[in-house]
């Protein structure tokens, strides 16, 4: 008999009932140090007092308003995002995958309204993850994501990660509407795209007219030490998808765009029942007010350096388990020689939560508020987990 919850996740045998900062407390009272943060969602940790206050205050005023009306909390968050980014306008969603849907529609509508309706193709890269909707899985195109879900949405050109030179140049013809890329791949194994590559994509889009779409669902909102990861390269997009950290744990996503890129999206061309609701936007405004503070981002960079240094030492101490440290800021990965799932499981035994990723990597995505003491404790627990994995490997 099928469980009452559709069994589409391989869930760990853990249940949590409370959280505070970098810690989760299981139903049996055991405390777990959380280096996953809900896969980069709980950017400010669990039950951050400012977010609890914002949510509670808004819940006592009004929960839901249709987008048929002006929503002051939505407009305040949009104003903040426009002020702090390349964007001229924002549409709010409930998740990253919904943001991907709109990004694809926006790019194609842009060219349709310019009288080039055949310019529909979108270039994507191997190892990418853009969500689970029909457009998002077609954008990735792997058998793992698409098998059994055909017919797929057409119009995606899949290139190798890091493709450049003639491979990239030859793919950008007069049918290409946009290039879509994650500045730092998360699911794909914590792979940052080098700054010169992002600049090269920007230059290529400028030369050909193709729109540049960034997926910063996982790597945005302070995760890399800048408010958004592409700021390190100084190469702004035309359209950007965000989610996860912007809600701090409350469902919230958005598509940010320049006025030109969004010019095809007129009244009635898109919509959302819950997107931009007062509860989510009240929380999101509080999140961005905190994370965009230069002092906060300076601390993210300092702690990222500390964590990376400790992880490099861990890799050196366990060469039979780990191969290298990857990633950027507090979006780090341990490339494993042992099975990454074994490392994650051994972490559970040490009451430590991490997340597996592609290319046999263990993701390290702590709350951006993690303390120095918690970093030291996390690496000590990872060390114990690695020792257990090495012992297991030696027995087999």
């Amino acid at each position: 008999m099928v469980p009452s919850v559709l069994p589409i996740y391989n869930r760990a045998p853990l249940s949590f009932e409370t959280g505070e900062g970098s810690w989760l407390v299981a139903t049996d009272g055991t405390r777990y140090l959380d280096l996953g943060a809900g896969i980069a969602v709980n950017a400010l940790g669990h039950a951050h007092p400012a977010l609890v206050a914002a949510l509670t205050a808004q819940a006592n005023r009004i929960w839901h308003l249709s987008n048929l009306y002006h929503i002051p909390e939505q407009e305040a968050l949009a104003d903040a995002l426009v002020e702090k980014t390349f964007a001229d306008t924002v549409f709010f969603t409930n998740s990253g995958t919904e943001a991907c849907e709109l990004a694809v529609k926006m790019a194609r509508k842009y060219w349709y309204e310019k009288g080039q309706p055949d310019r529909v193709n979108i270039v994507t890269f191997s190892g990418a993850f853009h969500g689970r909707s029909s457009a998002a899985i077609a954008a990735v195109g792997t058998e793992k994501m698409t098998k059994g879900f055909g017919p797929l949405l057409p119009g995606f050109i899949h290139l190798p990660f890091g493709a450049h030179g003639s491979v990239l140049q030859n793919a950008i013809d007069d049918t290409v509407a946009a290039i879509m890329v994650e500045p730092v791949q998360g699911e794909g194994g914590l792979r940052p795209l080098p700054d010169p590559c992002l600049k090269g994509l920007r230059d290529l889009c400028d030369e050909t007219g193709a729109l540049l779409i960034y997926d910063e669902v996982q790597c945005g909102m302070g995760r890399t030490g800048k408010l958004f990861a592409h700021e390190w390269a100084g190469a702004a997009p035309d359209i950007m998808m965000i989610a996860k950290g912007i809600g701090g744990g409350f469902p919230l996503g958005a598509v940010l765009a320049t006025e030109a890129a969004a010019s095809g999206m007129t009244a009635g061309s898109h919509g959302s029942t819950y997107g931009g609701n007062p509860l989510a936007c009240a929380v999101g405004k509080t999140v961005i007010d905190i994370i965009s503070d230069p002092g906060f981002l300076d601390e993210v960079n300092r702690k990222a350096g500390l964590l990376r240094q400790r992880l490099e030492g861990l890799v050196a101490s366990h060469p039979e388990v780990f191969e290298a440290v990857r990633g950027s800021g507090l979006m780090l990965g341990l490339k494993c020689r042992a099975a990454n799932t074994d490392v994650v499981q051994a972490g559970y035994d040490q009451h430590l939560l991490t997340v597996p990723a592609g290319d046999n990597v263990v993701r390290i995505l702590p709350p951006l508020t993690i303390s120095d003491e918690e970093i030291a404790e996390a690496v000590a627990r990872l060390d114990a987990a690695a020792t257990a994995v090495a012992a297991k490997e030696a027995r087999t």
Side-chain angles (χ1 to χ4, degrees), residues 21 35 38 61 69 189 205:
L35 295 190
R61 288 197 292 269
Y69 312 106
C205 286

Side-chain angles (χ1 to χ4, degrees), residues 115-367:
Q116 299 184 53
D118 295 330
R119 198 161 178 172
V120 298
N121 289 328
I122 295 176
V123 171
T124 61
F125 298 92
S126 62
F129 181 86
H130 300 298
R132 301 277 186 175
S133 66
S134 293
I137 64 172
V140 172
T142 60
E143 182 179 6
K144 177 183 177 183
M145 294 290 289
T146 64
K147 186 178 181 181
F149 296 118
L152 300 177
L153 185 69
F156 292 95
I157 298 171
H158 305 109
L159 297 182
F161 176 79
H164 60 280
S166 60
V167 173
L168 185 59
Q169 294 274 354
N170 292 338
I172 310 300
D173 58 21
D174 59 6
T175 70
V176 170
I179 297 173
M180 184 160 67
V181 65
E182 298 160 279
V184 184
Q185 287 191 345
E187 298 287 334
L190 284 296
R191 296 194 293 183
L193 198 63
D195 291 351
C197 292
L198 272 189
K199 290 179 180 176
L201 291 178
R202 178 70 270 175
D203 291 344
L204 184 59
C205 286
D206 290 342
E207 293 167 10
T208 61
L211 299 174
L212 182 58
I213 303 172
Y214 288 157
D215 181 340
E216 292 228 17
V217 168
Q218 191 167 148
C219 64
M221 290 308 297
R223 179 58 56 182
T224 67
K226 295 279 191 184
L227 185 56
F228 292 103
H230 70 267
E231 295 173 19
W232 289 107
D238 301 292
I239 300 169
M240 183 166 72
M241 303 138 55
I242 67 172
K244 291 188 182 292
I246 181 65
F250 200 95
L252 177 61
V255 174
L256 285 64
T258 63
E259 182 174 5
S263 59
M265 302 305 295
T266 54
S269 61
H270 197 65
S272 173
T273 296
Y274 294 108
N277 68 81
L279 283 172
C281 290
V283 174
K285 178 64 166 55
T286 306
V287 170
I288 197 166
D289 285 347
I290 293 172
I291 290 181
S292 64
D293 184 278
F296 184 91
L297 291 172
D298 286 346
E299 270 295 282
V300 172
N301 281 308
R302 187 190 63 78
K303 288 184 282 192
L306 176 63
L307 177 56
R308 184 155 198 143
Q309 181 185 44
R310 297 285 179 87
L311 291 178
E312 295 282 5
L314 182 75
V315 169
S317 298
H318 297 279
E320 70 282 24
V321 177
F322 302 121
E323 184 177 331
V325 181
R326 288 180 176 176
S328 177
L330 286 175
M331 185 178 179
L332 295 172
L334 290 166
K335 168 69 173 170
C336 296
R337 297 187 195 279
N340 61 344
T341 50
D342 286 350
V343 176
V344 171
Q345 179 60 53
Y348 294 154
D349 296 338
Q350 299 299 323
H351 304 155
L352 181 78
L353 304 179
T354 58
V355 182
D359 200 26
N360 203 32
V361 167
V362 172
R363 265 181 284 191
I364 311 291
L365 304 164

